Amino acid sequence: MNAPTIELPVVVIGAGPAGLAAAAHLVDRGIEPLVLEAGPTAGAAVREWSHVRLFSTWGEVVDPAAEKLLAPTGWTRPDPATYPSGGDWADRYLQPLADVLGGRVRYGARVTGVSRAGRDRIVDADRDQQPFVVHVAHADGREERLFARAVIDASGTWATPSPAGGSGLAALGEKAAVDRITYRVPDLKDLAVRARYAGKRTAVIGSGASAFTALAYLADLAKADDDAGTKAVWILRRGISGSTFGGGEADQLPARGALGLAAKAAVDEGHAEAVTGFRTEAVERNTDGRLVLVGEDGRRLDAVDEVIVLTGFRPDLSFLSEVRLNLDERLQAPVELAPLIDPNQHSCGTVYPHGHRELAHPEQGIYLVGMKSYGRAPTFLAMTGYEQVRSVAAAIAGDLDAADRVELTLPETGVCGGAGLFDAPDAAQADGGGCCAPQLVQLGAPVAASAVAAEAPAGGCCGS
């Protein structure tokens, strides 16, 4: 890289947890960051799930370099053993960090394209010697072109949720029924939102932490005296096995394990009924406006009033079409990272900590970090993103010894036999290399530790 290029800033896309941590690590190494945030505040995506409580503690969601930057301002870390909500995380950590970074963070700045200056995707000549060019659309309508020595894309996946359709495409009629479908965990403390679901029959599609949270919320609503008739229908694309409800008491993140137990309690207590092996093909509206879900196998479920689709997220790669990325064909994650996080293969244990080498692309100097680095894979943790950006910042600074050093131990999930991307428990065991035999769960049986689950933090949208 030539000298003029080295003098340019590193553009960081997104002022969320990973993006702001990346900026803090760059500052710590004497490199100037420029953070471009499409929203009006830091943590704009996190604020959209401000009502959800994380299953990671404060001690796990504050980046060390960020804390170092914040310390001189008089900022004090909240009790590291307590669990923040998304709103807490944004107000008490992300926004103060962005404020410390000052003019290095620009709001209302949406990145619309990234390329090499004077070089489209095809051109090889002197490509690596050219700075990156970043096109930005501002909230006031202005367009701007910026130059950068490197680009760290921490824009996340929040804006691109996956659809209800079992084939990865929107189900027939899904878009037309948008007035009765949401792709977020509803905030049932909001009276208007609460009224939308109270006394109603709601389908929850999904099998991860967000679906657990929605089921627990709806169960709480059903238990309220004034909300008789509230019922959830839990739609799973697979069968039910020992891994369906997460790691439970074996999870080293206790709140994450308790969240799955709370979802199981919702089913056991009759507040939710589980429909297994159902892949949605169509969403039809009956004569009274309610929705009927139709499966690929021809099954038609009883009508519901509302649908909550929590089937994961996918990366927006549209503005990166002119840079040369090497992404896994299934997960849309960097090819070196994909085998570490592939839910088709994962069994017990944890994702191996990784850094700049696993995140590298043929286009030198561009990195996808945070939630976006995982592509379509689930179970991302904030501390994974912090380790990623620490390594990437060190690599950009030329300190490969630090960049290659692993400085993180991730907690065990306690989940065996893959992440549930199989229709039958036996297939999960055979293909997933699980470390323990799949155990069928008898719904309706007493739930050990359900009382603990009821009091534990009820969320887990971490690092979005």
Side-chain angles (χ1 to χ4, degrees), residues 257-340:
L259 186 60
L261 293 176
K264 185 175 186 298
V267 177
D268 290 343
E269 295 168 4
H271 302 302
E273 62 180 271
V275 178
T276 60
F278 189 92
R279 297 179 180 274
T280 307
E281 181 179 75
V283 179
E284 298 178 356
R285 197 184 295 265
N286 65 14
T287 55
D288 63 1
R290 303 174 80 207
L291 302 182
V292 175
L293 302 183
V294 183
E296 292 178 350
D297 57 4
R299 278 186 290 170
R300 299 173 64 86
L301 303 184
D302 291 341
V304 296
D305 301 285
E306 299 286 342
V307 178
I308 302 174
V309 180
L310 301 168
T311 53
F313 297 86
R314 52 189 59 179
D316 177 9
L317 302 169
S318 61
F319 60 87
L320 301 175
S321 61
E322 292 304 314
V323 291
R324 298 172 177 179
L325 303 180
N326 194 10
L327 299 175
D328 179 77
E329 62 186 8
R330 295 166 297 173
L331 299 185
Q332 296 179 297
V335 291
E336 295 298 323
L337 174 60
L340 304 179

Side-chain angles (χ1 to χ4, degrees), residues 67 73 82 96-97 104 200 375 379-380 403:
E67 186 171 12
T73 70
T82 60
L97 177 55
R104 298 182 177 103
K200 305 292 180 60
T379 64
F380 182 84

Side-chain angles (χ1 to χ4, degrees), residues 91-118:
D91 291 336
R92 301 177 64 186
Y93 168 65
L94 298 177
Q95 192 62 57
L97 177 55
D99 292 343
V100 170
L101 290 166
R104 298 182 177 103
V105 181
R106 299 184 187 177
Y107 302 109
R110 181 177 299 278
V111 173
T112 58
V114 178
S115 187
R116 289 282 189 178

Side-chain angles (χ1 to χ4, degrees), residues 47-71:
R47 293 179 188 278
E48 292 193 24
W49 48 268
S50 60
H51 58 291
V52 178
R53 193 165 299 280
L54 280 73
F55 50 61
S56 296
T57 64
W58 270 114
E60 295 159 338
V61 298
V62 173
D63 177 79
E67 186 171 12
K68 179 180 177 181
L69 200 60
L70 282 163

Side-chain angles (χ1 to χ4, degrees), residues 153 155-162 311-317 320 325-335 337-339 341-343 354 358-359 361 368-380 384 388 463-464:
D153 182 358
S155 60
T157 57
W158 179 252
T160 47
S162 295
T311 53
F313 297 86
R314 52 189 59 179
D316 177 9
L317 302 169
L320 301 175
L325 303 180
N326 194 10
L327 299 175
D328 179 77
E329 62 186 8
R330 295 166 297 173
L331 299 185
Q332 296 179 297
V335 291
L337 174 60
I341 62 175
D342 188 348
H354 52 275
E358 291 83 2
L359 299 171
H361 294 281
L368 277 58
V369 302
M371 284 286 292
K372 192 162 188 177
S373 72
Y374 267 41
R376 299 190 182 201
T379 64
F380 182 84
T384 300
Q388 288 178 341
S464 63

